[in-house]
Amino acid sequence: MASSGVRHGQTGQVQNMMMKFNNDTNEVEFDFKGKDLIKGETDGSSYPNGGLRATHTAGGYLALDTSSPIFLRGDTIFVPSAFVSYYGAALDEKTPLLRANAALSKQGTRLLKHLGLEVKDGLRANIGLEQEMFLVPREEFYRRPDLQLTGRTVIGRNAPRGQEMCDHYMAPLSSATAALACMQEIQEECWKMGIPLKTRHREVAPNQFEFAPLFGSNTTQIDQNLWVMQIIEEVAPRHGLAALLQEKPFNDVNGSGKHNNWSIATPDGVNLLNPHNVLDATGNDDAFPIIMAAVVAALDEHGDLLRMSIASPGNDFRLGACEAPPAIVSTYLGDDMTFFLEHFKDGKGKGAYKPGVKTLDLGTREVLPFEVPAEDRNRTSPFPYGGARFEFRAVGSSQNVSMVNTVLNTITAEKFAEFADRIEAGESPAHIAQETLKKHWKVIFNGDNYCADAQQELTERGIWRIDSGVEAIHRLTADKNIALFEKMNVLTKEECMARSDIMHDHYTGTVEMEALVLIDMINGHIVPSCKAGEVGPVAELHEAVTTLKSGLAAIHAAETSYEKAQLARVLRLETMIDIRVTCDAAEEVVPANLWTLATYKELLFLDSHSDAPAEMYE
């Protein structure tokens, strides 16, 4: 639920000792039974459950997830599990994902049979997750109650320098600061658990970094990513740092994401999004465009669900801010692919899709000419095609991406099922795909999604656009979406309603904490600093506290989770932003020696604010 900055880790854990006392000798004996790996029971009534259970119906059951390997760390065996209620309702993020995986495998296998490929052991959804985060000096972190309690700065005047020079992105990782050693230890800790973090580098914003793993099955990669986030938070303090996984911890510099690179494959490695793989496996020129037509249609029909799946509180400030795609769910296919599908759609061309390449000749003897794909990268698209995968770029950095992949698999499974049903009823596969592409062509956009004119054009096309995360969450309970999840046996109506309430409550709780910490910072830091310096908008600050308290009272008075979240969004994105301007104006005029909160200048520039270790001078 994107809880970074609120709780440590996003898994639920109960750690039991594997021991017992011998009844005859009273000596301690090792006690480990295989059945303990298969099923467990716990009282988890305090978990968010959206009404699926209560304290008097609190049973929660754990069942081994055989799709994800067991982890060993220290003296503990960690067993990935599904978590359900006494009546079988999903209380976790994993159970719906496993159901969606089953739906995708079943319906994809049906469709592929009609396209010329018999798959015996089902399909697998693969993902690769890029993890971005900030590393800041821990001593300054302790001087920011908002970072400590909510994971983001609710106030803060911009430093004289930001990311204007693009100087941080891909710059060398310097051993003169703690960041490199921290990242090395994170990789080492992960490797001990069988989690290979293949790539590390600096990201765009000051003090922002990224890890990227190898890709693999979605359940394995999600479980590993949950561990990666926990390890990042645990290792950072050992190096005098604090790790911030929240999507937008700082204003006016880039926030953090977790790009979800998604593909579908057979057990023997045939990637359904790789045109060469599909052609070789099926011998059918039409197979690949038919698969692509299903994905395009799924995106167009259910863009609201994809938007819902990324509606973490931190994404409020990140989407569309020239660091993440806007909340308009289109797809980039590139000129070559678009040309091919358009001709297929209109019946103008025959033959398989052959991705183009071009040769770059630098005109030097030392560097030989080399080939590159004909398609460029479109970093502004929410869902660009990348040659053998789709990259869902709008996912938030602190998210558990189970819901993201549950949605991707479910909407694709539904389209695969629709195509298979129509083929079995006697329709031509190619005709179905052509008709589908004509209907859903509007969702394809290869231009600049950051451009205001382009956004207006896409909105006028009727592409899903939901700017509000609160409203996006509400789409989970729309009739068409409940029908979809029930049809695919992924979520029941009750499970959809529960998740909607939980996500709205999570949003409201996040905003309430931010508002309360802002009140504390105004009363305990900003007003006293202003008075000490005999400067600043003291009256306006006192008025701001009253306004915040009134806003919180209104939220508490609302009746439903949805209504509370709607009011919380106004408080956060209107009232608190106005109050932030007042607070930042105070920071601007208060003498530095009287300002008690860590500033952006002190938080964001390890390279210029860190002394090198002693051995660097030897």
Side-chain angles (χ1 to χ4, degrees), residues 330-342:
S330 66
T331 183
Y332 165 86
L333 300 182
D335 292 339
D336 272 17
M337 174 69 76
T338 303
F339 179 85
F340 168 77
L341 288 179
E342 188 167 23

Side-chain angles (χ1 to χ4, degrees), residues 73 182 185-186 189 230-239:
R73 190 182 190 209
C182 177
E185 186 176 347
I186 290 166
E189 285 286 314
Q230 180 175 330
I231 290 168
I232 287 171
E233 291 184 333
E234 290 178 359
V235 171
R238 302 175 197 165
H239 297 268

Side-chain angles (χ1 to χ4, degrees), residues 187-386:
Q187 287 179 294
E188 179 68 19
E189 285 286 314
C190 289
W191 180 248
K192 290 176 183 176
M193 297 176 65
I195 304 173
L197 295 179
K198 181 179 180 181
T199 302
R200 67 180 184 230
H201 66 86
R202 296 189 192 233
E203 259 298 334
V204 174
N207 287 11
Q208 188 183 34
F209 302 89
E210 178 181 308
F211 287 114
L214 299 171
F215 77 93
S217 66
N218 58 14
T219 51
T220 298
Q221 292 304 302
I222 290 169
D223 285 344
Q224 289 186 357
N225 180 254
L226 294 175
W227 269 117
V228 169
M229 289 192 288
Q230 180 175 330
I231 290 168
I232 287 171
E233 291 184 333
E234 290 178 359
V235 171
R238 302 175 197 165
H239 297 268
L241 301 170
L244 308 177
L245 295 170
Q246 212 258 17
E247 284 79 6
K248 192 74 171 178
F250 300 103
N251 195 39
D252 286 340
V253 296
N254 276 20
S256 298
K258 178 154 40 196
H259 304 159
N260 190 101
N261 296 277
W262 173 79
S263 61
I264 310 166
T266 65
D268 56 353
V270 177
N271 182 348
L272 302 194
L273 300 182
N274 183 313
H276 296 305
N277 281 185
V278 174
L279 179 60
D280 290 345
T282 64
N284 181 352
D285 289 348
D286 292 341
F288 180 70
I290 290 168
I291 292 168
M292 290 296 289
V295 175
V296 166
L299 182 72
D300 187 30
E301 286 189 13
H302 298 296
D304 58 333
L305 280 178
L306 283 173
R307 175 66 179 92
M308 175 279 299
S309 73
I310 56 167
S312 63
N315 257 352
D316 263 358
F317 300 100
R318 176 175 165 266
L319 295 180
C322 291
E323 66 212 75
I328 307 171
V329 187
S330 66
T331 183
Y332 165 86
L333 300 182
D335 292 339
D336 272 17
M337 174 69 76
T338 303
F339 179 85
F340 168 77
L341 288 179
E342 188 167 23
H343 276 62
F344 174 83
K345 167 177 68 78
D346 297 335
K348 294 180 180 178
K350 290 288 186 180
Y353 173 59
K354 296 180 180 178
V357 295
K358 67 177 183 178
T359 300
L360 292 183
D361 187 344
L362 305 187
T364 70
R365 183 177 61 184
E366 293 79 7
V367 179
L368 296 176
F370 57 93
E371 287 188 345
V372 298
E375 306 301 342
D376 205 344
R377 291 190 176 201
N378 190 333
R379 292 169 56 89
T380 73
S381 175
F383 199 66
Y385 177 71

Side-chain angles (χ1 to χ4, degrees), residues 316-569:
D316 263 358
F317 300 100
R318 176 175 165 266
L319 295 180
C322 291
E323 66 212 75
I328 307 171
V329 187
S330 66
T331 183
Y332 165 86
L333 300 182
D335 292 339
D336 272 17
M337 174 69 76
T338 303
F339 179 85
F340 168 77
L341 288 179
E342 188 167 23
H343 276 62
F344 174 83
K345 167 177 68 78
D346 297 335
K348 294 180 180 178
K350 290 288 186 180
Y353 173 59
K354 296 180 180 178
V357 295
K358 67 177 183 178
T359 300
L360 292 183
D361 187 344
L362 305 187
T364 70
R365 183 177 61 184
E366 293 79 7
V367 179
L368 296 176
F370 57 93
E371 287 188 345
V372 298
E375 306 301 342
D376 205 344
R377 291 190 176 201
N378 190 333
R379 292 169 56 89
T380 73
S381 175
F383 199 66
Y385 177 71
R389 72 191 191 284
F390 280 95
E391 180 182 13
F392 195 9
R393 293 185 53 83
V395 181
S397 55
S398 67
Q399 285 191 252
N400 175 334
V401 298
S402 293
M403 179 59 84
V404 168
N405 289 281
T406 295
V407 169
L408 282 172
N409 289 359
T410 303
I411 65 177
T412 305
E414 184 202 33
K415 279 298 156 191
F416 284 172
E418 178 189 321
F419 280 24
D421 288 343
R422 293 175 63 180
I423 294 168
E424 289 164 9
E427 290 190 62
S428 158
H431 173 75
I432 295 168
Q434 289 167 340
E435 183 182 85
T436 300
L437 286 171
K438 289 175 183 177
K439 181 178 179 181
H440 299 287
W441 194 255
K442 66 179 184 290
V443 81
I444 300 170
F445 180 70
N446 293 338
D448 181 0
N449 288 260
Y450 290 160
C451 171
D453 290 341
Q455 292 178 14
Q456 182 61 35
E457 176 195 335
L458 292 172
T459 303
E460 291 172 357
R461 285 189 192 182
I463 296 174
W464 279 106
R465 176 176 185 166
I466 309 175
D467 292 329
S468 164
V470 171
E471 299 305 323
I473 292 168
H474 192 54
R475 292 299 304 171
L476 181 54
T477 56
D479 290 342
K480 83 169 183 72
N481 294 330
I482 291 174
L484 165 73
F485 283 122
E486 290 191 324
K487 177 184 177 183
M488 293 291 105
N489 296 315
V490 173
L491 289 168
T492 64
K493 179 178 180 179
E494 291 72 24
E495 288 170 330
C496 288
M497 301 290 287
R499 271 163 176 72
S500 178
D501 282 349
I502 290 168
M503 292 173 75
H504 278 139
D505 289 344
H506 180 65
Y507 184 93
T508 301
T510 299
V511 176
E512 183 170 3
M513 288 185 293
E514 290 175 353
L516 289 172
V517 80
L518 179 53
I519 290 172
D520 281 356
M521 291 168 72
I522 291 173
N523 287 334
H525 290 273
I526 302 174
V527 168
S529 292
C530 287
K531 289 182 176 179
E534 298 181 347
V535 293
V538 174
E540 290 90 334
L541 290 167
H542 285 307
E543 183 180 341
V545 169
T546 302
T547 300
L548 287 168
K549 289 181 177 179
S550 296
L552 289 170
I555 293 170
H556 295 161
E559 293 187 1
T560 68
S561 295
Y562 177 40
E563 291 168 342
K564 289 177 186 291
Q566 287 178 308
L567 291 173
R569 183 175 186 271

